[in-house]
Amino acid sequence: MKRNGLLIILSFLALAAACLISGCGSSVDNKGSSSSASILVPSSTEYPNADLLVWAGSVEDNLSNPDLLVIDARGKAAYDQGHIPGAINLIHNDFWTWGSGLKPVEELEALLGEAGLTRDMTVVVYDNTTAAWGAAGRIFWMLEYLGCNDVHILNGGWDKWIADGRPTETRTNALIKATFTASVKDAVRATKESILAKEQSSDFVLIDARTDEEYNGWQIYGEARGGHIPGAVQIPYAWFFNSDKTVLSYADLKTLLETRGVTADKEVASNCTVGIRSGFVYFALRLMGYPSAANYDASIIEWAAADETAYPMDKMANYHMLVYPGWIEELIAGGTPPTFESERYVILETESTSPNLKYNTGHIPGAIHVGTRELTCGADVYTCPAEANLPPDPQLQTLIEELGITRDTTVVVYGYGSSSNYFRVAWALMYAGVEDVRVLNGGYEAWSASGGGVETTPNIPIPIADFGAVVPVHPEYLATTAEIQEMLSDPHSVVVDIRSWEEHTGEDGGTHYNFFTAAGHIPGDVYAENSGWYFDADKTLRSYPEVEQMWQDRGITSDKMLAFY
């Protein structure tokens, strides 16, 4: 009895000690000391470094394997609600400092040792993909930077794990403390100095993984300056995923990168706001076999805070005209979003016909519907009369007044898909003289993707008596036929065709427009791609440096008088 009692006491003390060492919760032995080759299966064998992206089935098959450590890189609240069985929780925020990136190596060694990690572990990291903004990629990059050589990412992350009905648990898991000894790989960590030294080199590419609004110039996350590092190629983080949250195929990733000049023969670095999304871009480059890839972990927060003479930034000249869903959300909530200085606003939902079934199905709260042709042709029909780019000026003024719009009203316009219709409405309002016209980048699709609320009740405009000026205030925004003829003989002017190539060449005679009597294009004009080219796959506008480069290649420059048709 005494011997059994002593064993019970010793067992209890051992358990208590393990609990104290591991931080309580469910404690497991230190994992991972052998190669993952025999236990993890690549999600696809097409990638040059296919073993870095693993199939969920092989992870599930090895949840009890002591040679595998699974890291959940989501926030603690999400982890507590449910996670992959046996997974420990590592939060990337614990390992870096705002404005300067990773903490000193000695601190990282202590933190990872406290968490029970060693460099020889076989590790699979996951997050909730686009909602996590690159958390798994950031952990992956940090571990590789510190010398870990057997780190992988779970394809599809938590999103697909749940969608596929794989097992979960809610108990907290922790490892026994270990000694983590780093073997730093300096080459995979970019700095502002290294980027500055290379940014003019044709053998170097910098990828900016942020959204359009950040890249274009909006200061959303406390950046000291808005915009991007000069020469940076924009590839938003969300574009690296399929709709089911798996990583793009090898062929799609190759196209995504190479069509933007990001090729494997170049040295490539990535940045975002604080190096999280760009950490995943680093992973994607490694997956694709790029031999020289790095993450700028201090990213724009550090760069923008540095001396602007030494570390300049570029931004879209009139970025404020292209708003994003969060800006509108703040506006309709009664706030004062950046650059909004008016006393009132109107949101216009536009489409070519009226009434609009899309509007009745759901629209941005407070939005008023207006038919595109109604405002820009003077008739609620699909085909505009040949002589009518716009309704007669008095009629246009009346239409705008009936919408409750004055010259000093901020007007936000949105539409659907890769359509130029709502940009035409914005142009008509600018021609009339509305001083503050904004367009929702990405239209209704961007609003929906952001989780913005909708309503189905139609909003009736409250007419006003006086626009505040005689329309048009800006007649120069409308080119007449006589002016086009003059421009064609002026070397300082360019007339630009943005119809389809078939229409430009005359192969398509424009039979779907009943007012055309001839095929082809205006002699002496310049072709600058169909209007659909100016949109990305997510319906947002194409990166403006890409547009600017294409225009410059075709002689369309800002020092010339331009007219588009």
Side-chain angles (χ1 to χ4, degrees):
M1 287 294 292
K2 289 182 179 180
R3 183 173 181 274
N4 289 341
L6 179 60
L7 287 174
I8 292 171
I9 292 171
L10 290 173
S11 298
F12 174 80
L13 291 174
L15 179 61
C19 182
L20 289 171
I21 291 172
S22 66
C24 293
S26 174
S27 177
V28 295
D29 292 336
N30 281 33
K31 294 185 172 188
S33 59
S34 65
S35 171
S36 64
S38 61
I39 63 174
L40 295 176
V41 177
S43 183
S44 168
T45 58
E46 293 182 327
Y47 306 105
N49 287 327
D51 64 299
L52 298 182
L53 185 68
V54 298
W55 172 55
S58 67
V59 175
E60 182 178 358
D61 290 344
N62 285 278
L63 291 179
S64 60
N65 191 323
D67 291 331
L68 177 65
L69 171 64
V70 179
I71 296 177
D72 185 321
R74 299 175 300 154
K76 185 177 185 304
Y79 175 83
D80 288 344
Q81 290 175 5
H83 50 264
I84 293 176
I88 67 168
N89 189 209
L90 284 189
I91 312 298
H92 65 78
N93 306 59
D94 295 337
F95 301 95
W96 57 272
T97 303
W98 185 266
S100 59
L102 282 179
K103 293 179 177 180
V105 172
E106 296 77 10
E107 289 188 44
L108 297 176
E109 289 177 323
L111 289 168
L112 290 171
E114 182 74 21
L117 272 69
T118 59
R119 279 199 298 114
D120 61 349
M121 285 180 165
T122 296
V123 178
V124 172
V125 192
Y126 74 91
D127 58 17
N128 46 342
T129 60
T130 52
W133 279 37
R138 174 60 180 240
I139 296 291
F140 173 93
W141 166 78
M142 179 184 71
L143 292 178
E144 284 213 332
Y145 168 72
L146 295 172
C148 299
N149 294 311
D150 200 5
V151 188
H152 315 262
I153 282 184
L154 173 65
N155 197 18
W158 178 250
D159 307 69
K160 197 161 193 314
W161 186 276
I162 289 297
D164 291 346
R166 299 189 186 276
T168 65
E169 67 175 8
T170 57
R171 69 177 184 174
T172 300
N173 300 300
L175 302 180
I176 298 172
K177 288 182 182 180
T179 299
F180 188 96
T181 304
S183 178
V184 175
K185 299 177 181 177
D186 288 318
V188 305
R189 186 185 187 190
T191 65
K192 68 180 189 298
E193 292 82 10
S194 67
I195 290 173
L196 187 65
K198 300 169 186 174
E199 65 177 354
Q200 300 299 324
S201 171
S202 60
D203 296 324
F204 174 75
V205 180
L206 177 64
I207 298 174
D208 190 321
R210 297 175 302 155
T211 59
D212 284 5
E213 50 267 28
E214 297 169 89
Y215 183 85
N216 288 344
W218 292 98
Q219 294 166 251
I220 301 176
Y221 301 111
E223 307 92 330
R225 290 177 285 153
H228 58 272
I229 297 171
V233 175
Q234 187 205 14
I235 309 180
Y237 163 71
W239 291 6
F240 287 85
F241 297 91
N242 296 304
S243 59
D244 66 353
K245 305 304 181 180
T246 56
V247 176
L248 294 180
S249 69
Y250 166 75
D252 288 343
L253 269 181
K254 183 178 175 66
T255 299
L256 180 69
L257 294 168
E258 293 186 355
T259 55
R260 290 164 176 81
V262 184
T263 51
D265 60 335
K266 297 178 180 177
E267 188 175 354
V268 187
S270 55
N271 80 267
C272 58
T273 307
V274 287
I276 312 306
R277 288 169 284 182
S278 55
F280 182 86
V281 174
Y282 166 84
F283 165 80
L285 294 169
R286 288 274 290 110
L287 180 66
M288 293 295 288
Y290 280 54
S292 181
N295 178 28
Y296 177 23
D297 62 311
S299 274
I300 288 296
I301 291 298
E302 180 192 55
W303 186 284
D307 176 64
E308 61 182 313
T309 302
Y311 299 94
M313 296 180 70
D314 287 342
K315 63 182 176 182
M316 183 185 287
N318 292 310
Y319 70 89
H320 66 280
M321 297 179 68
L322 202 61
V323 299
Y324 52 97
W327 192 93
I328 296 179
E329 286 181 343
E330 186 174 351
L331 185 70
I332 62 181
T336 306
T339 74
F340 175 67
E341 298 177 351
S342 304
E343 294 184 0
R344 60 191 304 273
Y345 70 89
V346 169
I347 301 175
L348 290 183
E349 184 269 6
T350 69
E351 192 52 38
S352 60
T353 57
S354 183
N356 182 13
L357 295 178
K358 292 179 181 177
Y359 176 81
N360 295 335
T361 301
H363 51 266
I364 294 176
I368 298 167
H369 169 70
V370 60
T372 308
R373 311 292 170 176
E374 182 179 352
L375 186 61
T376 61
C377 293
D380 187 18
V381 292
Y382 183 73
T383 54
C384 302
E387 71 278 5
N389 275 290
L390 287 171
D393 293 332
Q395 182 181 345
L396 177 61
Q397 180 160 342
T398 298
L399 286 167
I400 292 173
E401 289 170 345
E402 289 175 349
L403 291 170
I405 296 172
T406 61
R407 185 181 179 185
D408 58 359
T409 300
T410 292
V411 182
V412 181
V413 183
Y414 78 91
Y416 301 87
S418 301
S419 169
S420 57
N421 282 341
Y422 53 104
F423 289 89
R424 180 176 170 89
V425 169
W427 162 75
L429 294 169
M430 293 166 62
Y431 163 83
V434 178
E435 295 175 344
D436 187 14
V437 180
R438 318 284 183 116
V439 172
L440 172 57
N441 190 22
Y444 186 77
E445 286 84 351
W447 179 263
S448 179
S450 74
V454 298
E455 63 179 7
T456 56
T457 303
N459 295 297
I460 308 302
I462 301 174
I464 49 95
D466 183 14
F467 173 67
V470 176
V471 172
V473 175
H474 292 290
E476 70 274 16
Y477 292 168
L478 174 62
T480 65
T481 301
E483 289 170 338
I484 294 295
Q485 290 173 323
E486 290 181 9
M487 290 178 66
L488 291 169
S489 60
D490 181 357
H492 301 293
S493 300
V494 183
V495 176
V496 186
D497 184 355
I498 60 165
R499 298 174 301 155
S500 71
W501 177 249
E502 290 73 21
E503 288 178 291
H504 179 76
T505 60
E507 296 175 49
D508 180 348
T511 54
H512 53 292
Y513 298 110
N514 63 11
F515 45 79
F516 280 135
T517 57
H521 62 94
I522 297 173
D525 67 2
V526 172
Y527 183 69
E529 302 297 337
N530 177 264
S531 59
W533 179 90
Y534 294 84
F535 294 88
D536 285 315
D538 62 359
K539 316 304 180 186
T540 59
L541 283 181
R542 199 173 190 126
S543 171
Y544 81 87
E546 293 183 56
V547 177
E548 187 175 49
Q549 185 61 59
M550 185 269 284
W551 283 358
Q552 287 179 353
D553 292 344
R554 303 183 190 189
I556 305 168
T557 53
S558 60
D559 59 337
K560 297 176 181 177
M561 176 65 184
L562 308 176
F564 295 82
Y565 81 93

